Structure formats: C-alpha cells, structure tokens
Amino acid sequence: MHDIAILIPAAGASSRMRGRDKLTENVDGVPLLRRQALRAKATGAHVAVTLPDWNHPRAEALQGLPVQVIEVPDSDQGMSASIRRGVGFLPRGPKALVILPGDMPEIETEDIQRLIQSYQSMPFPMLQQATAEDGTPGHPVLFPEDCFMALQTLTGDQGARDILRMNAHRLRYVALPGRRALTDLDTPEAWLAWRAANDDTCLTG
C-alpha cells in the first residue's frame, strides 16, 4: 500500500483539556497517539504524524515506531497548519492521503482500510469520508492526490471542510460501525463519560 499515506495531525494545543493532554491519555494500555499510529501502520500505508516540535512530550509516545514525524512551528494557527505542513513533507509517491484525527479512540485499522478499499474500488479518484452508522459525516477522510495542493493552502482551524464542499460531486460516504466516526474526546468531561460508557478499567489514564 505504498501509494497511500495517512496523516495524523497531532500539533494542537489540547487547550480544552485544562492542563491535560488528550493525545497522551491512556487507551488500550498505551497513549492515544501511539494507539492511533499503530492502527494506521497496521494498514501498510506510510504514516506521518505532526507535532509542535520534535522535543514535544508527545514524541515519547511515538518512540520506536516507523512513522514520519513532522514539526509544525506555526501550530498555533490551528488544524490547517498541521495539514499544510504534513502534506508538504510527504514523500513522493502517495496517490491518496487519509487524514486521521489523533483524538478518536474508537477508530480501528479495519475502519481506515474500509476507506482505502472504497477508494481503490472506484474507476476514478473520489474523496472518501467516514460516517457514523446512521450516515452522519465524520472522520477519517481520504483525499486523492489532486486535492493535495488545495490542502496545502488551508488556513484557520476548520480543517478541510471547504475542500469537501467543493468536491461534493465526487464525495463518497463510507459507514463505520456505531459512532466510531464521530467520537472525539476534547475535554476531561468527554473522557470521563466515554470511559464510563465503555466500562473498561484498562482505559483509565
């Protein structure tokens, strides 16, 4: 799967966590960021992770993993900075890019593969967006290579929503089980509620 890349934007400030870092919260016995990187690597795709800088505490969660770490010195400009920098530093070759948010603890390797397989089954390049089981759009999202230039011109903290709107005519929805495509945890309260709903003591951080 050398023609597919996966980008995990992980350069945000985690400001809503009030002093905690959502990406180092413990899930399945490891920091969430490491879990995401492991799930991504299991697809066989190239995996890139953005960080505020190479010495950021989150870098420890990636130690020993064969992933590309990309520094984002302007990470204070929001999600767009991670995407711009991440896409700009990808190696040559990928024909499509999956953007996988780092704060979605229910995404599994099979979910990422489902998007990739849907893309590969199309006769021409189409965007692929994961949805909840009920069809509500969420993440991750796959962008064909012809979207890379637009991804490198993003601004603000809205991610790639404008690109999705402009390409609505060739956007395919891929349903994932339950609410996996919607579950992102940005606050201590969200983490507490999620852990209580999962009733799994190994999830505590």
Side-chain angles (χ1 to χ4, degrees):
M1 206 171 292
H2 300 294
D3 60 344
I4 303 291
I6 299 171
L7 174 64
I8 303 175
S14 196
S15 57
R16 297 177 63 194
M17 287 294 289
R18 301 195 293 278
R20 289 161 58 182
D21 187 344
K22 62 184 178 182
L23 296 182
T24 58
E25 289 286 318
N26 197 324
V27 178
D28 296 335
V30 297
L32 176 56
L33 181 58
R34 186 176 186 86
R35 180 194 184 279
Q36 297 298 81
L38 287 168
R39 297 302 188 275
K41 280 300 298 180
T43 66
H46 174 82
V47 177
V49 183
T50 62
L51 296 178
D53 60 72
W54 288 302
N55 295 317
H56 193 276
R58 289 174 190 164
E60 185 176 345
L62 300 171
Q63 281 190 358
L65 297 184
V67 300
Q68 178 187 11
V69 177
I70 299 170
E71 185 182 40
V72 184
D74 55 349
S75 59
D76 60 332
Q77 295 183 19
M79 175 70 75
S80 62
S82 270
I83 296 175
R84 287 196 309 267
R85 191 92 171 168
V87 175
F89 277 82
L90 287 177
R92 291 184 178 181
K95 300 300 183 184
L97 172 69
V98 178
I99 296 182
L100 171 64
D103 59 354
M104 302 187 73
E106 295 185 0
I107 295 295
E108 298 290 345
T109 297
E110 65 198 50
D111 301 324
I112 307 168
Q113 289 175 324
R114 196 172 296 187
L115 262 72
I116 295 171
Q117 290 165 359
S118 179
Y119 164 76
Q120 292 174 331
S121 71
M122 298 289 101
F124 53 88
M126 292 184 67
L127 289 76
Q128 312 287 327
Q129 182 172 17
T131 75
E133 204 167 76
D134 65 4
T136 305
H139 297 278
V141 180
L142 180 149
F143 296 90
E145 184 182 22
D146 61 89
C147 292
F148 289 5
M149 186 173 294
L151 289 169
Q152 288 184 269
T153 64
L154 293 175
T155 59
D157 202 29
Q158 295 301 308
R161 294 177 190 172
D162 287 343
I163 297 176
L164 292 176
R165 281 194 292 267
M166 289 186 294
N167 288 275
H169 61 289
R170 61 185 189 119
L171 174 60
R172 179 182 176 88
Y173 294 114
V174 180
L176 305 184
R179 295 180 58 81
R180 289 182 187 179
L182 305 178
T183 302
D184 58 355
L185 306 177
D186 292 326
T187 67
E189 292 79 13
W191 276 96
L192 186 63
W194 182 76
R195 285 179 168 135
N198 281 272
D199 191 29
D200 191 339
T201 55
C202 78
L203 296 175
T204 56

